[in-house]
Amino acid sequence: MRNKILMCLAWACVLCGCHSSAPHDDLRLVAADSLLQANNPDSALQVLESINASRLDGAANRAYYALLLTQAQYRCYVDINSDSIINVALNYYKHHNGEQERLARAYIYKGAVTEVMGDAEAAMAIYKQAQSVAAPGDHSNLGYANLRIGSLYRDYLISDSSAIQAVKDALYHFEQVNDSSYILKCLSAIGGIYAAKDIRDSAIVYLERADTLAHKLQLEADELNNTLYLIDLMMFGDDADDIDRAKSSALKLLNSDIELNGSRDHVLMDAAYALALLNKPDSAQLHLNQVDKDRLDDGMLVLYESCLAEIARCRKDVEQFKRYYDSANNRSDSLTRNNMQRQLRDVEAKYDNEALRYEALKYKTHWQLLLLGALLAVSILVITLMVIARKAARRKQQLTASEDTIERLKSDADQLEAMLKANQEMSDGLKATIKHQINTFSQLVEMHHTQFTQFPKKFDELFKKAYGLNQPDLSFWAGLRAYADSTCNNIITRTVEAHPSMSENDVRFLSLCSCDLPTSAIMACLGFSDLHSVYRKKRFLARKLELKCKLDDYIAEFMPEEPAAE
């Protein structure tokens, strides 16, 4: 019903004569554009798919159709595998004056298609072209171009400072046209980047603004994500007022009408931990009793046992505190150990590869030396025959040439020996690296076991550093990877073995998807600016892994079968 109403309103605007459209524009295209501006891309795509593009009147309408179709498909998450359609629009608007807004839009969606096809650097250049051709007052296109540039800096080019500046520029433009939806995306993105950089005060400021706006717009999913992020940031700080605010926010979430779904246990534990930190053990225990422990993964079990330890501390129950503290500490160590073991396996694999290369080089060098010796013998024989056959006047010249040949062969042999020596030194360096990794891990375990009795307050700090609830760190990703492997038949290990070129960012993204996390949670965890980034990353990784199916279907193949009902 809502789509029908919007479509009727769009057509009404067209029939009344929309001044923003050119006189030659097809009325159906103007209606589709109006639906896109009204944030209703599904209805716009229906209108466009009902149009026979070959029967449109003139090149201008065909270019307009190509622009709108690409825009609607992209915003409806339709797979786009070619830039041929958007090129029709771009080539037309580049050669026709008076179409500045549509030219900027064509560049933006050319960049979006290029990004979807996996070429982030080329997409960056195209988005900057969109910036250069957009009019100073074209805030919508300038805002979106800056937002996409910020997302590329954050997701692919790993430049947080550039990402923050680009998204702040986007925020300014969206504020000029009061586009609340994109203002919310910008605020959440900036807060997430600041949190990843451990700039807590700035992160809290932007996330609080995003949380307030999401509540105003009645976007429950965005409000929940921002509130959870804020609670984690404030609860694991050193400010008692922030801890009290974290407690109040968690309790407010539990008493609100927002559907928490799988996040309810997380919120309950946040509330329990904050209450325990504020020396209210009974209230903390009351909330912790409502947690469904059977549904918690290893990472959440660390928080659960930390809550129990903090409650025991409040009650001055040293024995219980030590038991729960040790359990949480051991579980955290296990996550860290898995990460260290993975790093050791990576180093060992690298060492094995280098050893194989060394053996291959040694074998190759052996045969090269034999060949050089044979060539040397042949050269001497040829020279001897030539000396015998030719006149005595040329003997000296031929002997000189032979000596030069021998010197060159000797130089080649020396170079090969130097290569062998350098390769051996590389192997020794790799061995030293393995030993260093093992020593580092041993020291880490010893530190965890010896610090308890003398520094019980240290647990909170160790917990944050080892698991990183306020920002994902190596232990967090290691735990996530371990959980994904344990629940999905070693999907991460098997995928990395099959595709050793996978980057760390690819492994983290596959781990998040394999843990069946909501798309919005994946977006918040990686600091992505919007849901588009998650879907683009899924398509990009599927192509990189050369899958013949979607990434979600690939993950489903590793899922264990549900036991048959009795």
Side-chain angles (χ1 to χ4, degrees):
M1 179 60 71
R2 175 177 176 271
N3 290 344
K4 291 180 180 179
I5 294 173
L6 286 172
M7 196 173 297
C8 291
L9 290 174
W11 278 107
C13 292
V14 171
L15 295 175
C16 292
C18 295
H19 296 292
S20 61
S21 61
H24 60 272
D25 286 341
D26 188 292
L27 297 181
R28 295 169 296 176
L29 299 179
V30 177
D33 202 352
S34 298
L35 290 168
L36 287 170
Q37 299 302 324
N39 198 27
N40 192 17
D42 293 329
S43 297
L45 187 59
Q46 290 178 10
V47 173
L48 293 168
E49 288 177 342
S50 69
I51 298 174
N52 188 339
S54 62
R55 295 186 179 181
L56 288 171
D57 182 22
N61 278 323
R62 287 192 289 275
Y64 193 20
Y65 173 83
L67 171 61
L68 296 176
L69 181 62
T70 303
Q71 186 176 352
Q73 288 178 337
Y74 177 77
R75 293 179 61 183
C76 290
Y77 306 106
V78 175
D79 286 336
I80 303 176
N81 300 315
S82 170
D83 58 359
S84 58
I85 296 178
I86 191 60
N87 284 341
V88 172
L90 186 59
N91 292 334
Y92 176 85
Y93 293 126
K94 283 166 64 176
H95 298 93
H96 289 79
N97 296 328
E99 299 285 4
Q100 191 174 10
E101 189 278 332
R102 292 181 186 175
L103 175 60
R105 215 190 319 171
Y107 270 119
I108 286 174
Y109 285 97
K110 166 73 173 180
V113 171
T114 303
E115 188 178 343
V116 168
M117 293 170 63
D119 194 343
E121 292 185 0
M124 173 71 77
I126 297 171
Y127 287 135
K128 290 185 176 180
Q129 283 182 295
Q131 285 181 314
S132 66
V133 302
D138 188 1
H139 294 295
S140 293
N141 283 331
L142 286 171
Y144 193 73
N146 274 289
L147 182 58
R148 295 305 323 136
I149 288 172
S151 298
L152 283 176
Y153 274 126
R154 175 63 181 143
D155 302 343
Y156 295 98
L157 306 182
I158 319 301
S159 177
D160 289 336
S161 58
S162 299
I164 288 174
Q165 186 56 54
V167 181
K168 283 185 176 180
D169 291 341
L171 177 61
Y172 164 77
H173 288 293
F174 289 130
E175 286 177 339
Q176 302 310 303
V177 292
N178 197 27
D179 190 331
S180 299
S181 177
Y182 278 104
I183 290 174
L184 176 59
K185 293 178 186 295
C186 292
L187 292 173
S188 298
I190 296 171
I193 298 172
Y194 272 130
K197 288 171 65 67
D198 201 22
I199 305 177
R200 293 182 63 258
D201 292 340
S202 297
I204 289 174
V205 169
Y206 280 94
L207 289 173
E208 282 182 334
R209 290 178 60 188
D211 192 41
T212 301
L213 182 57
H215 179 74
K216 179 180 178 181
L217 298 176
Q218 296 182 342
L219 299 175
E220 292 188 354
D222 292 286
E223 183 179 356
L224 176 59
N225 288 332
N226 284 298
T227 302
L228 285 174
Y229 215 160
L230 275 169
I231 291 172
D232 287 341
L233 281 173
M234 293 185 295
M235 185 171 63
F236 292 98
D238 298 325
D239 192 324
D241 291 338
D242 281 347
I243 295 174
D244 188 65
R245 290 167 62 196
K247 179 261 300 181
S248 299
S249 297
L251 295 178
K252 183 178 178 181
L253 267 182
L254 292 172
N255 294 321
S256 68
D257 295 330
I258 296 177
E259 188 64 38
L260 298 179
N261 295 325
S263 300
R264 180 173 176 79
D265 289 335
H266 189 175
V267 179
L268 285 167
M269 287 188 289
D270 281 347
Y273 195 79
L275 286 165
L277 290 174
L278 296 171
N279 290 317
K280 297 180 179 179
D282 293 337
S283 298
Q285 186 67 59
L286 181 64
H287 286 82
L288 197 61
N289 289 342
Q290 301 178 51
V291 174
D292 186 353
K293 185 180 177 181
D294 294 334
R295 295 190 305 181
L296 302 181
D297 57 28
D298 284 342
M300 287 293 100
L301 282 173
V302 173
L303 179 57
Y304 181 84
E305 291 172 344
S306 300
C307 291
L308 290 172
E310 192 63 28
I311 291 171
R313 183 195 62 79
C314 292
R315 292 172 173 170
K316 303 188 182 326
D317 190 337
V318 177
E319 183 179 350
Q320 288 281 24
F321 173 75
K322 185 179 185 307
R323 182 165 69 88
Y324 290 125
Y325 172 84
D326 285 343
S327 178
N329 192 41
N330 291 336
R331 196 180 299 276
S332 178
D333 279 349
S334 176
L335 296 175
T336 304
R337 187 181 302 112
N338 289 336
N339 180 53
M340 295 296 296
Q341 289 174 347
R342 178 186 61 79
Q343 292 181 12
L344 286 173
R345 285 195 298 270
D346 292 343
V347 173
E348 289 170 355
K350 185 177 180 181
Y351 172 78
D352 291 341
N353 291 336
E354 289 293 334
L356 290 174
R357 287 177 57 194
Y358 172 75
E359 290 297 326
L361 180 61
K362 183 178 178 181
Y363 180 77
K364 181 179 179 181
T365 303
H366 174 73
W367 283 105
Q368 285 178 336
L369 290 174
L370 290 177
L371 179 60
L372 288 173
L375 288 174
L376 179 60
V378 171
S379 298
I380 294 174
L381 178 61
V382 170
I383 291 171
T384 303
L385 292 174
M386 291 177 66
V387 169
I388 295 174
R390 297 189 179 191
K391 296 179 180 181
R394 300 188 61 184
R395 289 181 180 178
K396 185 176 181 179
Q397 179 182 357
Q398 293 294 338
L399 287 172
T400 302
S402 177
E403 290 175 356
D404 292 341
T405 301
I406 292 173
E407 287 297 324
R408 287 196 300 271
L409 294 174
K410 182 180 179 182
S411 176
D412 290 341
D414 291 340
Q415 290 179 5
L416 288 171
E417 290 178 358
M419 290 173 63
L420 284 171
K421 183 178 179 181
N423 197 280
Q424 179 62 49
E425 291 174 354
M426 289 173 60
S427 299
D428 292 338
L430 287 171
K431 292 178 182 177
T433 301
I434 295 174
K435 183 176 180 181
H436 175 70
Q437 291 281 4
I438 294 173
N439 290 339
T440 300
F441 171 70
S442 299
Q443 293 170 8
L444 179 62
V445 172
E446 182 67 18
M447 178 187 68
H448 279 297
H449 280 284
T450 57
Q451 284 189 337
F452 165 72
T453 54
Q454 298 179 4
F455 304 100
K457 288 283 188 177
K458 194 70 175 177
F459 172 72
D460 181 50
E461 180 179 350
L462 288 175
F463 174 72
K464 291 186 290 184
K465 291 182 178 179
Y467 194 69
L469 286 176
N470 59 331
Q471 60 168 338
D473 62 358
L474 289 178
S475 298
F476 170 85
W477 294 116
L480 199 65
R481 172 173 175 166
Y483 180 76
D485 267 343
S486 65
T487 56
C488 296
N489 293 322
N490 289 321
I491 180 173
I492 307 301
T493 300
R494 291 163 65 181
T495 304
V496 171
E497 289 175 354
H499 303 276
S501 63
M502 286 182 68
S503 66
E504 185 64 23
N505 188 46
D506 294 336
V507 173
R508 291 177 176 181
F509 184 81
L510 182 59
S511 299
L512 286 166
C513 294
S514 301
C515 291
D516 199 27
L517 294 175
T519 303
S520 57
I522 297 175
M523 179 186 73
C525 192
L526 291 177
F528 284 172
S529 57
D530 54 27
L531 295 176
H532 282 294
S533 297
V534 178
Y535 292 110
R536 280 195 301 276
K537 183 67 175 179
K538 284 187 177 181
R539 291 193 291 269
F540 172 81
L541 187 54
R543 284 195 295 272
K544 186 172 182 179
L545 299 179
E546 300 179 350
L547 302 181
K548 295 182 180 180
C549 60
K550 294 183 178 179
L551 185 64
D552 291 335
D553 296 333
Y554 173 74
I555 294 171
E557 294 175 2
F558 288 83
M559 292 291 186
E561 295 182 0
E562 294 292 337
E566 295 183 357

